[in-house]
Amino acid sequence: MTIEITGNTQWQAWQAKILPPVEQVGPGLWSIPVPIPDNPLRYVLVYAIECRDGLTLIDAGWDDDLSWRALTEGIASLGGSVQDVRAVLVTHHHADHLGLAGRIREASGAWIAMHSLDAAVVRDLPPSDELGRVLGDHLEVHGLPASEARTVVEAMGIHRGPRPAVPDVTLEDGETVRLPDRKLEVMWTPGHSPGHSCFYEPDRRLLFSGDHVLPRITPAIAVHSRTEGDPLADFLRSLDRLAGLDVDEVMPAHEYRFRKLDGRLAAIAGHHAERLAELYAAVRANPAATAWQLAAELEWSRPWAAFDPASKSFALAETVAHLVLLANRGEVRRTGRRPVRWGAV
């Protein structure tokens, strides 16, 4: 065990597959579990910080009526209301973190803050029909037959749901967010998203890690249709950046709180090293394979045949991210255009 679990009630709830309770996890600091409907992650831990002028939230939760009710009831259990929220600091733009921020802003007038790179993703989001077309094309490029690509696009539900809220304030690496009674440092940790950021509170030695560091699972590092650069290389550098940080407790966005950050960082880096080696071996064993074919050769948490279409698309995106890193290291090369195929160097 590379970590020490501090959120024991959260861990017990995770084992029992139930929602953990609202908890006070520090002076003026609460965790509010907000469910993610029909998702194996189950919930997002929204952190509520009590300030002199109201509440600051870190992340907001999925935009769904069930989630909204859990958030508002959680805030009410602290003796407040959603109208008391003054700010929402969002670790990254994914829907389970940004989703409810717009509703919160409408109800309270709170400002929403996010790293500038993720704010740009939200601001420049194409219409849903174009997103679906681009996703389908991306899947075909990496080896899916057209009929299966259409099935995946439909399963992803891109045509459903409201547009995400555009942040009012953009954040940059190293910036200090000054709240009444406390301050948080922005630590840019790209990989899971271009602008993913952790919030570090040096006075209390707390790290609000978003999805960058979780106690049990590794965050998805993926190449999607709009991804630029080498997200896995970015992610591994971001892990290195947190090594040695003076942290007493990690407050992740999923699962449960923990200590021993450095051990967990090393374990996550080790996981990706093993995955890269496994994928390189698969490329050597399957010359000129597509990423779709290679993904089916890898070991996942459950058999490939048991994956639904959306899960397969996520696995494909992670496989492509690892292939991009191997290509940038000069270990594999890509050939062809539609579909792209991979071979060992």
Side-chain angles (χ1 to χ4, degrees):
M1 195 73 168
T2 59
I3 65 166
E4 175 188 336
I5 297 171
T6 53
N8 290 300
T9 301
Q10 294 169 340
W11 178 81
Q12 290 166 4
W14 184 266
Q15 296 298 109
K17 298 184 178 181
I18 60 176
L19 200 67
V22 176
E23 278 190 275
Q24 185 168 12
V25 296
L29 176 63
W30 301 77
S31 70
I32 302 173
V34 177
I36 313 171
D38 303 317
N39 190 295
L41 283 175
R42 305 179 200 167
Y43 56 83
V44 172
L45 292 170
V46 172
Y47 294 97
I49 301 173
E50 297 178 4
C51 301
R52 286 194 306 271
D53 63 345
L55 295 173
T56 294
L57 302 184
I58 296 180
D59 287 330
W62 188 269
D63 190 357
D64 179 87
D65 289 342
L66 174 67
S67 309
W68 176 249
R69 184 163 60 252
L71 177 64
T72 55
E73 290 177 356
I75 293 174
S77 72
L78 316 182
S81 74
V82 72
Q83 286 77 23
D84 298 325
V85 178
R86 298 292 175 262
V88 184
L89 308 180
V90 184
T91 57
H92 61 296
H93 72 81
H94 293 167
D96 53 332
H97 297 258
L98 175 61
L100 283 175
R103 284 207 214 187
I104 296 167
R105 180 168 60 190
E106 290 175 9
S108 66
W111 48 271
I112 303 169
M114 186 191 302
H115 191 278
S116 60
L117 290 177
D118 272 20
V121 171
V122 175
R123 186 181 60 247
D124 300 335
L125 197 65
S128 58
D129 56 347
E130 182 180 343
L131 270 178
R133 179 187 60 77
V134 171
L135 172 59
D137 186 71
H138 175 76
L139 295 173
E140 290 184 46
V141 163
H142 287 291
L144 268 76
S147 59
E148 291 190 52
R150 286 193 295 271
T151 299
V152 169
V153 171
E154 181 57 34
M156 297 286 286
I158 288 174
H159 301 286
R160 300 186 293 271
R163 302 280 290 184
V166 176
D168 307 287
V169 176
T170 57
L171 303 173
E172 300 297 340
D173 183 40
E175 185 174 342
T176 298
V177 180
R178 300 188 183 278
L179 307 171
D181 310 317
R182 55 207 306 166
K183 60 184 180 181
L184 301 172
E185 296 179 6
V186 179
M187 300 193 71
W188 179 44
T189 49
H192 184 58
S193 77
H196 187 291
S197 296
C198 300
F199 296 102
Y200 175 50
E201 188 172 12
D203 293 345
R204 292 172 172 81
R205 300 171 62 216
L206 299 178
L207 181 71
F208 299 92
S209 65
D211 282 1
H212 184 60
V213 186
L214 301 172
R216 186 185 62 91
I217 60 174
T218 56
I221 312 300
V223 168
H224 299 291
S225 55
R226 302 174 68 213
T227 301
E228 298 179 357
D230 188 339
L232 182 54
D234 292 341
F235 177 73
L236 295 174
R237 284 191 292 268
S238 297
L239 293 179
D240 288 342
R241 183 184 180 194
L242 295 186
L245 191 68
D246 185 17
V247 172
D248 179 60
E249 190 172 23
V250 180
M251 305 283 175
H254 301 286
E255 300 180 326
Y256 35 83
R257 307 187 317 280
F258 66 97
R259 291 195 176 103
K260 298 186 178 178
L261 173 63
D262 281 358
R264 184 60 186 144
L265 296 173
I268 294 172
H271 161 78
H272 285 288
E274 292 172 2
R275 177 61 97 192
L276 288 164
E278 180 190 12
L279 181 55
Y280 180 69
V283 172
R284 288 181 60 88
N286 299 273
T290 66
W292 178 251
Q293 292 166 330
L294 291 166
E297 297 294 319
L298 302 179
E299 182 177 345
W300 301 95
S301 59
R302 59 188 188 279
W304 181 254
F307 277 36
D308 60 33
S311 297
K312 285 184 176 180
S313 76
F314 292 135
L316 171 67
E318 291 193 49
T319 301
V320 176
H322 286 74
L323 286 166
V324 167
L325 178 55
L326 288 173
N328 287 338
R329 289 180 177 177
E331 297 178 37
V332 304
R333 66 166 64 93
R334 57 183 288 166
T335 59
R337 296 176 60 86
R338 196 176 187 93
V340 170
R341 299 185 181 276
W342 301 87
V345 175

